[in-house]
Amino acid sequence: MSQFPPNDGPFIPPPPPTTDSLYPPDVLASKQAEAASDAKNALIMSIVGIFCFGVILGFLAYRKANNALEIMNTYQVAQDKRGMATTAKVIGIIDIVLWAVGLIARFALN
């Protein structure tokens, strides 16, 4: 007496093992480090940009923060740094706006 049911149907292979990511672990680790570094640098540049070189540092901070957010969305890494990158992006926009308002005020007062 056999323990297995009769094999009347076609062979159906088991599904492949699922993984959380399509990228190798070393790529994910490097992208996580890059996103965290970009978020931190963007926040530093945006805060310094409030006090000096607002248009330059604000623009650079915006670009770095945007790059960090794109890496986070694409590779699903460094999600704990998302708030830092978003804050840097907002402060970068504020830097540029404050620079423009200061430039307009300077010419308006002269």
Side-chain angles (χ1 to χ4, degrees):
M1 187 172 248
S2 174
Q3 295 179 354
F4 300 106
N7 191 3
D8 295 336
F11 173 72
I12 300 173
T18 59
T19 59
D20 294 333
S21 177
L22 301 174
Y23 303 101
D26 58 333
V27 171
L28 291 176
S30 69
K31 291 298 181 179
Q32 180 171 357
E34 181 182 354
S37 174
D38 281 353
K40 183 180 94 176
N41 291 337
L43 187 61
I44 291 169
M45 284 190 285
S46 64
I47 291 172
V48 171
I50 292 173
F51 302 105
C52 59
F53 308 113
V55 68
I56 297 168
L57 291 178
F59 178 72
L60 291 175
Y62 180 84
R63 295 279 310 262
K64 281 267 190 201
N66 202 34
N67 184 43
L69 289 170
E70 284 180 8
I71 290 172
M72 290 176 197
N73 290 335
T74 303
Y75 295 96
Q76 296 298 314
V77 294
Q79 297 298 321
D80 57 327
K81 304 294 184 193
R82 181 174 294 280
M84 185 186 300
T86 304
T87 302
K89 193 171 181 180
V90 170
I91 295 174
I93 292 170
I94 291 171
D95 290 347
I96 296 169
V97 170
L98 286 177
W99 176 82
V101 168
L103 190 65
I104 292 169
R106 182 175 182 182
F107 284 118
L109 294 176
N110 286 337

